[in-house]
Amino acid sequence: MTDVARGRTLIPKLRSLSRFTFVDVVLWALRISVLMVVVGGSVGTLIKGRYGAVQWLEFLTFGVTMGSLYALVALGYTMVYGVLRLINFAHGDIMMTGAFSGYFVASALAGRGFLDRDPVLAMLAIMAVAVTTSTTIAVLTERLAYRPFRHVRGLAPLICAIGVSFFLEQTFRGAFGAGVRAYPDPKWQKGAISVLGYAVPILQIMVVAAALVSMAILYLIVQRTKMGTAMRAVSEDADAAALMGIDVDRVIVFTFALGGAMAGIAGVCYAFIFKQVYFYMGFTPGIKAFGAAVLGGIGSVPGAMLGGLFLGIVESVGPALFLDGIGIPAPYQLRDLIAFILLIMVLIFRPYGILGERMAKKRA
Amino acid sequence: MSAAAVDLAERVSPGNRSLFRRALRVGLILGVVAIYGATIGILPLMDARWVIVDMVSLGDAALIAIGLSAGVLIAARTRSLEFWPLVPPSLVAGGVAGGLLALLALAMQAFPLRQIFIALSPGLLKSLTFGLGASRGGAVLIVAGASLAVLGAALTRAPEGLRKPAAAGLAFVIVFGVFQELIQIMMQSGGAINALRQSIYTWEGLTLAGALIIFFLASGAAFVWTGWLRGPARERFMRLSPAQKRTAKSARVVVFILVLVLLPVVAGSYIGQVMMLVGLYILMGMGLNLEVGLAGLLDLGFVAFFAVGAYATAILTADSPHALASYTAIPSLSYWAAMPIAVLASIVVGILFGIPVLGVRGDYLAVATMGLGEIVRVVVQSDMAAPVLGGAQGILQIPKPRMGGFELADPVHLFYLTLAASAVAAYFAWRLENSRLGRAWMAIRDDEDVAQGLGVNLVKVKLLAYGLGAAFAGLAGSIFAVMLTSVYPSSFQLLVSINVLALIIVGGMGSLPGVMVGALALVGLPELLREFGEFRFLFYGAALIIMMRVRPEGLWPSATRRRELRDEAGEAALGELEGTATRPAPRAPDLQDTEP
């Protein structure tokens, strides 16, 4: 029985076995208050009409952009969880390593004017370096930190993963400094393209395109190649897969490499959007992306994509739509709050996610 | 030759080839460690601190230690008791480690690496290569590495009467060199002691004469101890009855605690401040220990309870516009009245925090609690809560506690306040551990479903774990608020939760003395080595990984844990948490290695 399945059955069990109905009261109060904020806030905002259609579209495109990045990172969580049943706590930091190594290439290229002159080639070079770094680091962490815990259940692997996360962050802090470094800001990224009459920034189109292409490639790898089939087999049942002659170690390394590559691409895109890199930058998007993976149904590749997009859109539209309407000052400070509340609500009420039901049932 | 004979031969002296491969491996690993230390900037920092003034810096000492450990590792992994067969592999290992550093030096000279790696400065290059330039300095590094490794192997194989005194002497010199500031402050008191201080120290560190004196004193003492005193002492201990043995052991704990209690008085207010921080972390550690160590609920949002305790104290006592007294009819309270309220508030928040995550287990629980902790921080920091909690500026002007007319302003006074609080909390924690509730916690830690089947009320027991754990953190937070006389949201980051988690893991989960050891090692030590403060989180990360791999039961494990680990049958049960049981069996040696 997996944690996913347990979480699903425990709440009804508590309800029937315990006389402490106040737990249910609190849980229902939580549900209702979140619902009230969502509905009340939306109505309030729409009545006030402070935002026009253009602004909503801006929120939406930004949400889709961020969502596709969350989806890329979430893929790493979900695939590793699929084959290892481990939350790779350090995955957000692996994204950071990609962004950081991309920074050095990007600033070197920008310094020589190459990033402005030949954007496609320059972006490809940046991505290539970022992907190489993040993939290498992902594989190394697997080999050095996670492999010894391959057959260990319980808290030890998770604690080790937390340690890896800190270790990576602090290593980068020591090697490259604690300060925030500014990512180059080429002119072409500031332009916009008119889509159906709305101006959409080129940067956002580029990010979404990069994410879509990588996800398509990943999907093909997982669905069509031999290695992808092996990955799916291991995530169904590692022992049976080993008996069928699949080299489980190799599959796990491959999974980490694939997740690391996606994280590297996401890291570069993330850094170009926010125009900065620092050693701690991977933490928050990492946690949010984990939330997205759970939201989509952990272990499910399409689920991670869906969950990422959903999270990105809710987080981007949410402050204006839900919080402004109930009169909260400076709602954009609470963007992370929305993401975290969504994460917790999912973990509490629907730990098997949107697309995870089939999996949870099978493993129950 | 029969297979058994081959096996025996392998045991006595393993094939040369495998020995050299091992040596290469050891050398590569140690070389990478040294390069890592240089790249992330810890080596340059160590270079700035003298062990012996103008002769050996801490960085040099670290590099020497790496060279020596190459030989030690080779010797430890070889069963042969002779020294001479160890020389060639030690040369290889030390040479390879030195060679990697030499490569780094060459690379630093050839490429402008500093533009990317900020720590690889010309100063580092100069100190790495002894100012000789990369090629000649590199050759020196290789030779030094090889000879140090041989020395290390020789020391490991030397008779005990020589090895122990040498190790003790070196260790004492390093301790006296590294903690010179602290030791000098402590020695400044009396006339004779001060004179002694002046003879072995300058204000920058140990003098050569001082180092020699300490080395010979320490190694002489160790020589006498191993040669004449240890045997009889051990014999006398063995002859004691079990009850007496237990008394002797608890006497050791009492002495340890007494030293801790009296240290700040002797060593002054800086140590007082460090010890007080250690005390706060011990308090929090005991709280998290109830949740993680006993009940198995991995809580990464623990800092939220600490924040509640601090903020509750602040708004009840502070002399600021955010205090309750300034905009409601509630009068401004004294610290002693506010502290219990703060603890109560933490308990309430702990229970409220626990209710939603009751049904969440294991990994998901860790992430959910971390999310809850982050929510608390985001809310406290936001403009939404600013009218009440002061936003990013926090709440200022919290008065120090007063006892009668006496203000507890000095860190040493607050240390004793922390100590008293810790003592009370430790008593509660100790009684809880052995209570019915404590056993119920351990039952749900080991298997929630079985525990429920045996009649443990999961809801009640889990909420009590969150609530009581929060009480400890709230108490710590309340003292923290008066220590700083102000509270800011930036003091309550996830790092604090990780810090507390790391210390109970290093000390030993579920073990009260372990919490103390962990707090001393992870909070006290980095605080004393102040210039390495920025590396403390690196140290925590590494400690988490290494402890989980090497010693999952912690430095001072609880009695139950130790019993479980020693006992073969208990080991399987422990594998659930610790992962020692299911470690795969070592792979059989390669065929070619066993051929003589």
Side-chain angles (χ1 to χ4, degrees):
Chain A
M1 199 163 69
T2 63
D3 290 335
V4 180
R6 272 184 196 154
R8 208 161 79 83
T9 53
L10 193 70
I11 290 171
K13 218 191 276 173
L14 289 176
R15 195 174 297 150
S16 58
L17 285 186
S18 75
R19 295 185 197 97
F20 279 76
T21 48
F22 72 89
V23 173
D24 296 319
V25 173
V26 172
L27 289 180
W28 275 104
L30 188 64
R31 281 189 180 103
I32 291 169
S33 54
V34 170
L35 202 72
M36 270 168 59
V37 169
V38 168
V39 173
S42 308
V43 171
T45 307
L46 294 178
I47 288 175
K48 267 197 266 176
R50 266 182 59 187
Y51 302 94
V54 177
Q55 272 159 317
W56 287 120
L57 264 168
E58 264 170 23
F59 289 141
L60 198 66
T61 51
F62 188 70
V64 170
T65 313
M66 289 309 295
S68 52
L69 293 186
Y70 290 143
L72 278 181
V73 181
L75 282 169
Y77 279 106
T78 224
M79 290 189 301
V80 166
Y81 194 90
V83 297
L84 271 187
R85 302 282 175 273
L86 166 83
I87 297 178
N88 182 8
F89 227 86
H91 195 62
D93 302 304
I94 286 172
M95 173 187 133
M96 177 273 293
T97 66
F100 237 115
S101 54
Y103 162 78
F104 292 109
V105 184
S107 60
L109 291 180
R112 287 171 182 74
F114 193 69
L115 189 56
D116 269 317
R117 229 180 306 131
D118 203 341
V120 178
L121 215 59
M123 286 307 289
L124 283 179
I126 296 168
M127 294 274 183
V129 171
V131 165
T132 315
T133 314
S134 58
T135 308
T136 314
I137 291 182
V139 170
L140 273 180
T141 54
E142 191 277 330
R143 181 70 195 82
L144 298 177
Y146 296 144
R147 192 171 292 183
F149 297 99
R150 188 64 54 80
H151 301 284
V152 178
R153 289 185 299 141
L155 296 182
L158 181 69
I159 291 170
C160 182
I162 295 171
V164 171
S165 164
F166 263 63
F167 190 76
L168 279 180
E169 279 168 17
Q170 297 299 320
T171 300
F172 272 67
R173 180 187 180 288
F176 306 117
V180 173
R181 299 198 182 203
Y183 237 66
D185 191 8
K187 274 191 211 97
W188 56 266
Q189 284 189 355
K190 293 192 191 102
I193 291 179
S194 166
V195 178
L196 301 174
Y198 292 104
V200 182
I202 289 184
L203 180 62
Q204 295 189 4
I205 293 177
M206 181 202 85
V207 167
V208 174
L212 284 182
V213 169
S214 347
M215 281 191 271
I217 294 173
L218 177 107
Y219 196 75
L220 286 179
I221 291 175
V222 172
Q223 293 297 330
R224 296 287 161 82
T225 64
K226 215 167 174 184
M227 204 52 174
T229 317
M231 259 174 73
R232 282 182 289 141
V234 171
S235 89
E236 281 293 324
D237 188 331
D239 293 334
L243 288 176
M244 294 297 122
I246 290 173
D247 185 345
V248 176
D249 272 352
R250 257 188 68 201
V251 170
I252 289 170
V253 170
F254 183 77
T255 309
F256 269 88
L258 215 51
M262 296 290 137
I265 293 169
V268 171
C269 295
Y270 193 86
F272 267 113
I273 291 176
F274 291 101
K275 296 290 176 223
Q276 58 182 31
V277 281
Y278 57 102
F279 69 98
Y280 201 56
M281 66 180 278
F283 174 73
T284 311
I287 297 305
K288 288 182 187 169
F290 172 74
V294 179
L295 179 65
I298 199 146
S300 148
V301 168
M305 300 179 188
L306 210 67
L309 276 180
F310 184 76
L311 178 69
I313 291 171
V314 168
E315 186 194 72
S316 168
V317 176
L321 187 60
F322 310 146
L323 299 183
D324 208 5
I326 51 174
I328 288 177
Y332 295 99
Q333 291 176 335
L334 301 178
R335 175 195 296 271
D336 290 351
L337 189 70
I338 291 182
F340 285 129
I341 287 181
L342 186 65
L343 164 72
I344 289 169
M345 300 287 285
V346 172
L347 286 174
I348 297 169
F349 296 117
R350 210 179 155 86
Y352 42 91
I354 302 172
L355 297 184
E357 199 147 17
R358 186 184 54 88
M359 259 182 71
K361 253 184 205 147
K362 213 186 286 174
R363 298 226 172 88
Chain B
M1 207 188 277
S2 73
V6 172
D7 191 39
L8 276 179
E10 163 76 9
R11 254 186 231 175
V12 176
S13 80
N16 277 340
R17 193 171 157 180
S18 77
L19 199 57
F20 275 102
R21 210 184 286 160
R22 219 175 291 165
L24 205 62
R25 220 176 107 101
V26 167
L28 282 174
I29 291 175
L30 289 173
V32 167
V33 167
I35 290 182
Y36 177 81
T39 317
I40 65 162
I42 200 161
L43 197 60
L45 259 188
M46 290 169 105
D47 266 335
R49 193 164 198 158
W50 292 116
V51 175
I52 302 172
V53 172
D54 290 336
M55 268 187 70
V56 185
S57 74
L58 190 58
D60 301 333
L63 289 181
I64 291 172
I66 285 181
L68 287 176
S69 56
V72 172
L73 284 175
I74 294 286
R77 288 176 183 197
T78 314
R79 290 210 175 82
S80 152
L81 289 177
E82 280 176 63
F83 166 62
W84 293 111
L86 293 178
V87 172
S90 300
L91 282 174
V92 171
V96 167
L100 281 181
L101 266 185
L103 279 181
L104 176 71
L106 280 176
M108 277 166 71
Q109 203 169 45
F111 306 107
L113 286 182
R114 200 184 183 189
Q115 287 178 6
I116 294 181
F117 298 98
I118 54 167
L120 298 181
S121 63
L124 176 71
L125 179 64
K126 205 173 161 198
S127 81
L128 260 187
T129 53
F130 316 99
L132 295 173
S135 43
R136 277 164 63 200
V140 175
L141 275 176
I142 296 176
V143 173
S147 25
L148 279 171
V150 174
L151 185 63
L155 272 178
T156 318
R157 282 289 177 269
E160 204 190 19
L162 200 66
R163 178 167 41 112
K164 288 250 160 112
L170 284 178
F172 268 83
V173 169
I174 287 180
V175 167
F176 272 77
V178 171
F179 296 111
Q180 52 101 2
E181 217 178 322
L182 178 65
I183 295 171
Q184 292 205 57
I185 291 173
M186 281 164 67
M187 287 173 81
Q188 251 181 322
S189 50
I193 299 177
N194 200 21
L196 179 65
R197 175 186 74 76
Q198 279 167 351
S199 67
I200 60 173
Y201 279 121
T202 69
W203 276 115
E204 279 174 41
L206 276 177
T207 58
L208 179 61
L212 287 177
I213 292 172
I214 289 169
F215 180 84
F216 283 114
L217 278 181
S219 53
F223 186 67
V224 173
W225 169 251
T226 46
W228 288 281
L229 297 179
R230 193 181 51 180
R234 219 178 247 172
E235 215 166 89
R236 213 178 314 144
F237 184 76
M238 296 310 281
R239 257 185 279 132
L240 295 177
S241 71
Q244 280 172 314
K245 270 187 201 167
R246 226 172 297 135
T247 325
K249 270 185 193 155
S250 25
R252 226 164 34 187
V253 177
V254 169
V255 168
F256 177 66
I257 292 174
L258 263 184
V259 169
L260 288 189
V261 169
L262 295 178
L263 195 61
V265 182
V266 184
S269 69
Y270 173 58
I271 291 294
Q273 199 153 7
V274 173
M275 293 297 295
M276 129 143 233
L277 214 58
V278 172
L280 284 185
Y281 273 97
I282 289 178
L283 260 179
M284 283 198 276
M286 286 191 293
L288 191 63
N289 196 29
L290 297 183
E291 291 181 29
V292 183
L294 295 185
L297 304 165
L298 186 51
D299 182 355
L300 295 182
F302 197 63
V303 63
F305 312 144
F306 183 57
V308 169
Y311 269 95
T313 310
I315 61 172
L316 286 171
T317 66
D319 179 21
S320 97
H322 298 297
L324 283 182
S326 65
Y327 60 91
T328 59
I330 302 168
S332 185
L333 297 178
S334 79
Y335 177 71
W336 309 110
M339 185 172 78
I341 300 177
V343 172
L344 214 64
S346 316
I347 294 179
V348 171
V349 171
I351 291 173
L352 284 179
F353 192 98
I355 289 172
V357 295
L358 273 176
V360 186
R361 289 193 197 185
D363 299 3
Y364 278 23
L365 179 66
V367 178
T369 49
M370 185 165 80
L372 283 172
E374 286 290 289
I375 286 176
V376 170
R377 190 180 57 80
V378 172
V379 168
V380 168
Q381 216 162 10
S382 70
D383 287 355
M384 180 176 74
V388 188
L389 300 178
Q393 277 78 45
I395 302 176
L396 309 175
Q397 300 206 324
I398 303 167
K400 297 267 185 197
R402 303 183 75 86
M403 265 179 138
F406 182 66
E407 192 177 39
L408 300 179
D410 193 75
V412 177
H413 302 155
L414 286 173
F415 165 69
Y416 283 108
L417 173 65
T418 316
L419 194 74
S422 306
V424 174
Y427 178 75
F428 273 104
W430 175 61
R431 295 296 296 166
L432 275 172
E433 195 178 321
N434 298 306
S435 69
R436 188 184 170 83
L437 181 58
R439 290 195 301 275
W441 281 337
M442 286 188 250
I444 65 168
R445 175 188 75 197
D446 290 341
D447 194 317
E448 219 172 286
D449 296 322
V450 172
Q452 194 178 24
L454 291 174
V456 172
N457 183 338
L458 286 188
V459 175
K460 191 175 116 192
V461 165
K462 279 188 174 183
L463 289 185
L464 277 170
Y466 286 114
L468 291 171
F472 287 68
L475 183 56
S478 155
I479 299 176
F480 183 74
V482 292
M483 177 183 94
L484 290 185
T485 64
S486 50
V487 287
Y488 317 97
S490 55
S491 312
F492 305 105
Q493 301 209 347
L494 176 79
L495 293 177
V496 178
S497 304
I498 302 284
N499 201 335
V500 180
L501 179 69
L503 78 88
I504 64 172
I505 282 165
V506 167
M509 273 203 253
S511 146
L512 277 178
V515 172
M516 253 189 288
V517 173
L520 278 174
L522 290 191
V523 182
L525 207 59
E527 206 63 42
L528 290 180
L529 300 169
R530 253 178 308 175
E531 62 257 51
F532 300 103
E534 53 180 309
F535 289 102
R536 70 162 52 172
F537 292 107
L538 181 76
F539 181 48
Y540 292 166
L544 284 183
I545 302 172
I546 293 169
M547 290 305 288
M548 280 296 116
R549 279 198 63 169
V550 180
R551 204 179 151 90
E553 77 273 24
L555 293 177
W556 193 326
S558 68
T560 345
R561 268 302 143 68
R562 209 174 321 187
R563 210 161 47 231
E564 282 167 343
L565 276 174
R566 296 254 170 91
D567 177 11
E568 286 288 316
E571 210 168 291
L574 193 68
E576 177 85 15
L577 182 77
E578 318 281 38
T580 44
T582 41
R583 192 169 289 166
R587 214 187 294 160
D590 292 335
L591 266 184
Q592 54 195 24
D593 285 352
T594 50
E595 274 165 12

